[in-house]
Amino acid sequence: MDYYSQVILNSIITGGIYGLIAVGYSMIYSILRFVNFSHGFVAMMGMYFTYALSVQLQLPFFIAAAGGIVLTALLGMIIERVAYRPLRFSFYLAPLVAVVGVAFFLESVALMVWGGGILSYDIRTISYKFLGLYITNVQIGILITLLLSVILLYYLIEKTTIGQAIRATADDIKMASLVGINSNRIVVIVFMLGSALAAVGGTFLGLETNLQPTIGLSVTAKSFAAVILGGFGNIYGGLVGGLVLGFAENLGVTVLPTVWKDFIAFGVLFIVIYFKPSGLLAKRQERGGRYR
Amino acid sequence: MFYHLTILMIIYSITCIGLNIVVGYTGFFSFARAAFFGIGAYTSALLVMSGVPFLIAIIAGGILAAIFGWILGLITVEMTGDYFALATFAFAEMTRQVFINWTGLTRGPLGLPGIPRPEIFGFRFSTNQAYLFLYIILLILVLIITEMYVKSPFGRLLKTIREDETAAQSLGKNIAKTKNISIAMGAFFGGVGGALYAHYITYIDPSAFVLHITIFFLIIVIAGGMGNNYGTILGAVMLVLVRELPRYLGLSPAFAASLQQMVYSSILVILMLVRPRGLLGERKLLSEQSSEEGGQIRNA
Amino acid sequence: MLETKGIEKNFGGLKAVDNVSIKVKEGTIMGLIGPNGAGKTTFFNLITGFLGADSGEIKFKGKDITNLKPYLISRLGMVRTFQQTRIFPEMTVLENLIVAPQDNIGEGFFDPIFFRKALKDDQKEKISIAVAILKDMGLSDQKDEYAKNLPYGEQKRLELMRAVMTSPDILLLDEPTAGVSQDYTDNMKTYIKKLKNERGITFFIIEHKMSFLMELAEYLYVIDHGKLIASGTPEEIQNNPKVINAYLGSEG
């Protein structure tokens, strides 16, 4: 019993982290119907920016994390400017191919600057026993920040003018620009916001496990699976999907040997794509005049 | 060094000609290339190591890859664009996890060392010269077969899938079947390429079949020009140079590896910005020549 | 030749096509008109198998084709065009045409290896047919042009010619003159008449513009809000108050 409560707690923490990264992803997807392949790699960069500021420059962790988030948001802006905006009306696969390029570029940068080895943040973890469950100070911090981020995001999307414009653009980008919303600006904001969320999630991942330049790919895969699981068109879909994925992964490992963990994750992605709601496909085909 | 680079170019050309059938002609962005490459490599290596003749083993590697391609095609038949790309990517990663974890067969991360070099009718291709000769013949063979296909009405049918599946269906074309054949054909050449790779390098492990290699293959196809087999060969020549040359600059291996990744990912982004259709475009069928050979190369 | 009985399609709670029964006679030109959003294109999608019907029956040449796959329906000899023209943009005009015939040799997996001679002869023949059709429509000059480079009106003609290349028994045209100039419209009209007289192709045409079908069609069906509201000769339709109401209601 205790064992399973512990699994559930771990699922909530990993699921929450995936969910936070995936929300950033689903924001971009819901507006542009664009698979931002670089998203997981951006999260990885966020993780390392925080590392650079906190460990290499010796700043206090919270300031370093905030700085990492800001830097990552700027990175999101640059990616939009370089690899997405000029290609929006190009050959239909060009933006996807370009962000794949960006993704691997980021990975090579991380490999060069921080090396391929495993690093970790310089933080002392203290373990508590609470109602028979083991939880660390870091995990408590993650849970609180997760909750705060979600509340802040909800407020931003639902209660502010920018949020309103984002929602309108997500509903119908053409309509939104007709009523005077500067869709280019919204796209930039969404890229920045999405990247910032990825940085928060990436830093959490670094805290929960460790830092590795090669995790980008699996983070991208997991956030896409989360977005599809949670349902499209809904900005919060990724959050729900991330939680589901967190549970699937942690529970799956209780049944199968740990080495198959990644197999399960990608298997879930595959199955999820296969059983996606058919309405979505219809929507894509309508858009799908691929060369137009 | 010359032989080494040229042999690599040929192996990648064969693999990417297969990929070009799927990506360039049929218009589906497949991220499963590393899986087919790996299936071919492991199959052929294991068969030869258990005494099967070289030629039969590489063809078996191709066929097994094609079978997996066919199954993947059946599952993904309804998917378009991004979904197809992601499904194939998930498939590739699942395959790699099997390479890593099915240790009884593949020895997992330890890899398979000592894969024998090719031997045909008692002649052992042990020198790089002999090797190059054999692989050039294979490349020409692959090129002739593929050109025959893509220039035929079958090839034109593939293009209609890329252009507009719905319209092709309205003309009475069995799109699902054609798409499956295309993926299986592409997988076959991927498997053959993988087998040739295994017998040349003589050592394989799961890390040789990561997504990075798929991306590398995709860049070869895109850079050379989608829907043009000669473009694919050109792409293979360029990219092998870009990838392998840093190794000869006397840099540390880790730094050289990230430098080459940086260079080719930048090339990918820049290409998309300047020439999203690649360097050599597709060739048109011109009415004067009817269906005669020797179409003129034009940029799309 | 083509017959539907009580065909229905729902989207969510909305009845897009509601209990529609029609008959298209062989060797005629028949029309389907109705205001925008009346369910005309949905109806076409149902007949040609691009959408599955919720209930009802579709018969073609006496055969039940309800919910058959689109390509199989097309092979039976019923070919359609689309409201938003669907040509193959990155292929030349000629390639667009010669890819269409359903008896093309060389589209199967083994054909390019085992039937090289037959394949070449067949291609030559198809090219000459295509060239003849292009001449007919006055498009010969553009035959080596990429289809995407044609003006919109000519793309619509190309789509029609491509459908003709499949040697169909019946052609379903979805707004063949939408968004094209008067010249093209007249040209299209002559061509459709010619196809009917010379090749005996039956036509079933959707149009939003009434005038086009008034001159061309022998018999018209009118649908509004997914329901069949009238049918008859063009004169009868023109004077039918229900039809006038439906059109005025939607414009007003």
Side-chain angles (χ1 to χ4, degrees):
Chain A
M1 192 59 223
D2 270 4
Y3 173 69
Y4 281 98
S5 323
Q6 189 69 45
V7 169
I8 289 169
L9 177 71
N10 292 346
S11 304
I12 291 173
I13 294 172
T14 35
I17 297 174
Y18 291 159
L20 202 61
I21 300 178
V23 167
Y25 200 15
S26 63
M27 284 174 81
I28 296 174
Y29 194 89
S30 61
I31 290 191
L32 304 168
R33 304 268 171 250
F34 165 58
V35 175
N36 181 8
F37 190 90
S38 68
H39 194 72
F41 296 80
V42 170
M44 178 272 294
M45 287 306 275
M47 174 193 255
Y48 275 97
F49 284 145
T50 306
Y51 175 83
L53 296 173
S54 78
V55 179
Q56 293 173 308
L57 294 180
Q58 296 288 323
L59 294 173
F61 188 77
F62 283 101
I63 296 172
I69 292 164
V70 172
L71 285 176
T72 316
L74 288 175
L75 179 67
M77 190 183 80
I78 295 169
I79 292 174
E80 196 270 345
R81 194 55 67 87
V82 172
Y84 185 71
R85 189 179 301 183
L87 295 173
R88 231 168 123 177
F89 302 105
S90 172
F91 174 52
Y92 80 113
L93 280 171
L96 177 64
V97 178
V99 286
V100 169
V102 168
F104 283 93
F105 184 81
L106 294 179
E107 190 179 282
S108 69
V109 170
L111 278 167
M112 265 187 195
V113 179
W114 292 286
I118 293 173
L119 301 171
S120 60
Y121 296 127
D122 201 6
I123 284 203
R124 222 156 42 115
T125 49
I126 308 158
S127 200
Y128 303 101
K129 195 166 181 194
F130 181 72
L131 293 176
L133 298 176
Y134 289 97
I135 189 163
T136 64
N137 56 339
V138 172
Q139 288 178 320
I140 294 170
I142 289 177
L143 280 174
I144 294 170
T145 328
L146 264 176
L147 210 59
L148 285 178
S149 313
V150 173
I151 293 169
L152 195 71
L153 182 74
Y154 180 82
Y155 176 80
L156 192 75
I157 300 285
E158 303 294 333
K159 306 286 176 202
T160 64
T161 353
I162 289 181
Q164 207 182 4
I166 290 177
R167 274 181 296 139
T169 318
D171 274 352
D172 189 336
I173 192 160
K174 267 189 200 140
M175 204 56 195
S177 48
L178 281 179
V179 299
I181 295 170
N182 180 346
S183 63
N184 263 344
R185 203 176 123 239
I186 295 299
V187 171
V188 176
I189 292 174
V190 166
F191 259 88
M192 291 178 74
L193 202 57
S195 304
L197 288 170
V200 179
T203 305
F204 285 169
L205 270 185
L207 285 168
E208 257 296 270
T209 54
N210 44 46
L211 288 80
Q212 248 183 305
T214 46
I215 62 150
L217 184 60
S218 75
V219 176
T220 289
K222 282 169 189 166
S223 28
F224 194 80
V227 171
I228 305 181
L229 267 172
F232 285 100
N234 185 342
I235 291 172
Y236 308 105
L239 198 61
V240 182
L243 280 171
V244 176
L245 198 63
F247 274 91
E249 214 177 272
N250 281 293
L251 290 174
V253 172
T254 64
V255 190
L256 278 165
T258 333
V259 287
W260 293 98
K261 192 172 166 180
D262 277 347
F263 185 84
I264 297 168
F266 292 110
V268 168
L269 175 64
F270 195 86
I271 292 166
V272 154
I273 298 171
Y274 185 70
F275 288 107
K276 70 192 175 296
S278 59
L280 187 80
L281 188 79
K283 207 169 174 181
R284 297 197 60 76
Q285 277 175 346
E286 177 190 287
R287 187 188 75 108
R290 297 197 216 149
Y291 286 88
R292 261 157 257 158
Chain B
M1 176 176 154
F2 168 77
Y3 289 106
H4 174 66
L5 292 185
T6 320
I7 288 168
L8 281 182
M9 285 167 194
I10 291 173
I11 293 173
Y12 293 151
S13 292
I14 290 175
T15 310
C16 293
I17 284 173
L19 183 59
N20 192 21
I21 296 175
V22 182
V23 175
Y25 287 96
T26 321
F28 276 83
F29 228 66
S30 168
F31 278 96
R33 185 75 350 195
F36 299 134
F37 196 68
I39 290 170
Y42 272 107
T43 309
S44 184
L46 288 168
L47 284 178
V48 171
M49 285 160 94
S50 58
V52 177
F54 172 75
L55 273 182
I56 295 176
I58 53 167
I59 289 170
I63 288 174
L64 193 65
I67 291 171
F68 274 96
W70 184 269
I71 296 169
L72 183 66
L74 285 179
I75 300 172
T76 57
V77 68
E78 296 272 312
M79 298 176 189
T80 52
D82 307 340
Y83 288 92
F84 181 83
L86 276 152
T88 50
F89 157 68
F91 166 78
E93 282 303 305
M94 285 163 81
T95 312
R96 193 170 68 90
Q97 293 300 324
V98 173
F99 293 154
I100 295 175
N101 293 317
W102 192 356
T103 43
L105 187 73
T106 64
R107 300 194 356 129
L110 294 175
L112 286 178
I115 301 167
R117 292 226 157 179
E119 189 181 304
I120 297 174
F121 306 125
F123 179 75
R124 184 169 284 277
F125 290 84
S126 44
T127 64
N128 275 350
Q129 283 90 323
Y131 229 87
L132 182 61
F133 178 71
L134 173 67
Y135 279 21
I136 284 179
I137 290 176
L138 288 175
L139 174 64
I140 292 171
L141 208 64
V142 167
L143 196 62
I144 290 174
I145 294 174
T146 348
E147 280 288 297
M148 203 154 87
Y149 267 95
V150 298
K151 274 187 188 161
S152 74
F154 178 80
R156 209 168 297 132
L157 197 57
L158 292 183
K159 285 202 238 168
T160 65
I161 301 179
R162 178 191 73 191
E163 299 290 300
D164 197 326
E165 261 182 76
T166 310
Q169 280 177 1
S170 80
L171 299 172
K173 309 294 178 193
N174 188 345
I175 292 311
K177 188 180 132 204
T178 313
K179 200 160 120 184
N180 258 342
I181 295 177
S182 147
I183 296 172
M185 264 179 91
F188 177 81
F189 291 126
V192 170
L196 296 179
Y197 174 83
H199 292 292
Y200 173 64
I201 303 287
T202 69
Y203 168 80
I204 49 173
D205 71 41
S207 73
F209 310 111
V210 288
L211 184 75
H212 297 65
I213 193 82
T214 296
I215 301 293
F216 180 70
F217 291 149
L218 280 172
I219 302 173
I220 289 179
V221 171
I222 296 166
M226 282 186 261
N228 184 325
N229 288 328
Y230 300 103
T232 302
I233 295 174
L234 175 70
V237 170
M238 289 188 320
L239 265 294
V240 166
L241 289 179
V242 167
R243 207 170 99 120
E244 301 295 320
L245 282 183
R247 292 195 188 172
Y248 299 96
L249 295 177
L251 303 167
S252 79
F255 187 79
S258 31
L259 182 69
Q260 53 170 265
Q261 184 175 335
M262 184 177 272
V263 171
Y264 72 73
S265 53
S266 319
I267 290 181
L268 190 60
V269 178
I270 294 167
L271 256 174
M272 283 303 106
L273 290 170
V274 224
R275 253 190 110 75
R277 296 296 186 125
L279 293 176
L280 298 185
E282 209 170 87
R283 283 159 298 150
K284 311 188 194 181
L285 170 108
L286 296 171
S287 48
E288 300 88 78
Q289 5 173 141
S290 305
S291 55
E292 296 299 326
E293 319 282 317
Q296 180 181 346
I297 296 178
R298 287 213 196 176
N299 292 330
Chain C
M1 169 175 245
L2 173 66
E3 193 178 351
T4 71
K5 275 189 200 145
I7 191 168
E8 277 190 33
K9 180 72 186 174
N10 297 296
F11 289 123
L14 187 82
K15 281 204 165 163
V17 171
D18 187 359
N19 194 18
V20 174
S21 305
I22 57 130
K23 260 186 193 168
V24 178
K25 266 182 248 144
E26 193 165 351
T28 57
I29 299 180
M30 295 199 138
L32 178 66
I33 60 171
N36 276 335
K40 293 173 303 219
T41 298
T42 309
F43 184 60
F44 257 33
N45 284 339
L46 291 170
I47 301 176
T48 49
F50 282 90
L51 277 176
D54 291 338
S55 64
E57 196 191 17
I58 307 163
K59 274 190 164 175
F60 178 55
K61 291 179 179 169
K63 214 179 145 191
D64 184 11
I65 57 159
T66 324
N67 297 341
L68 211 60
K69 284 197 168 121
Y71 80 91
L72 293 174
I73 292 177
S74 170
R75 282 186 185 175
L76 290 174
M78 176 155 68
V79 178
R80 68 172 297 183
T81 64
F82 296 86
Q83 188 175 0
Q84 290 203 312
T85 314
R86 286 180 175 271
I87 47 158
F88 302 126
E90 298 276 336
M91 290 163 76
T92 67
V93 168
L94 189 73
E95 281 180 303
N96 262 274
L97 294 182
I98 58 171
V99 81
Q102 295 175 347
D103 60 343
N104 267 349
I105 298 178
E107 291 185 356
F109 178 63
F110 296 106
D111 298 0
I113 293 182
F114 296 119
F115 304 106
R116 289 185 62 73
K117 178 79 175 70
L119 184 154
K120 264 189 179 164
D121 295 345
D122 182 61
Q123 283 297 293
K124 271 192 186 131
E125 190 194 323
K126 297 290 155 56
I127 288 177
S128 64
I129 297 174
V131 168
I133 289 184
L134 282 167
K135 215 173 243 166
D136 239 24
M137 277 294 253
L139 262 174
S140 305
D141 294 347
Q142 274 117 318
K143 63 177 184 285
D144 294 326
E145 192 58 68
Y146 277 116
K148 64 174 179 186
N149 296 337
L150 296 182
Y152 186 67
E154 289 183 356
Q155 292 189 358
K156 292 219 91 145
R157 288 203 284 169
L158 176 61
E159 198 192 18
L160 176 59
M161 287 186 268
R162 190 181 65 188
V164 171
M165 283 293 289
T166 63
S167 325
D169 299 317
I170 180 168
L171 272 176
L172 273 60
L173 309 183
D174 194 347
E175 303 212 9
T177 67
V180 305
S181 72
Q182 192 57 45
D183 277 1
Y184 280 127
T185 309
D186 293 341
N187 190 309
M188 192 70 95
K189 217 183 283 174
T190 343
Y191 191 57
I192 289 173
K193 275 186 197 154
K194 199 172 160 190
L195 286 173
K196 187 201 139 195
N197 296 334
E198 286 178 8
R199 298 176 181 242
I201 299 175
T202 309
F203 281 90
F204 189 36
I205 305 173
I206 291 184
E207 256 305 343
H208 179 61
K209 286 188 230 164
M210 281 234 246
S211 59
F212 181 71
L213 281 180
M214 287 301 155
E215 290 173 42
L216 202 59
E218 294 150 43
Y219 198 83
L220 290 174
Y221 286 99
V222 189
I223 59 173
D224 186 28
H225 293 109
K227 281 199 173 83
L228 199 62
I229 58 164
S231 64
T233 62
E235 293 78 40
E236 287 165 14
I237 294 296
Q238 242 163 348
N239 302 317
N240 187 325
K242 268 192 193 167
V243 177
I244 297 167
N245 263 340
Y247 265 81
L248 287 179
S250 80
E251 316 276 291

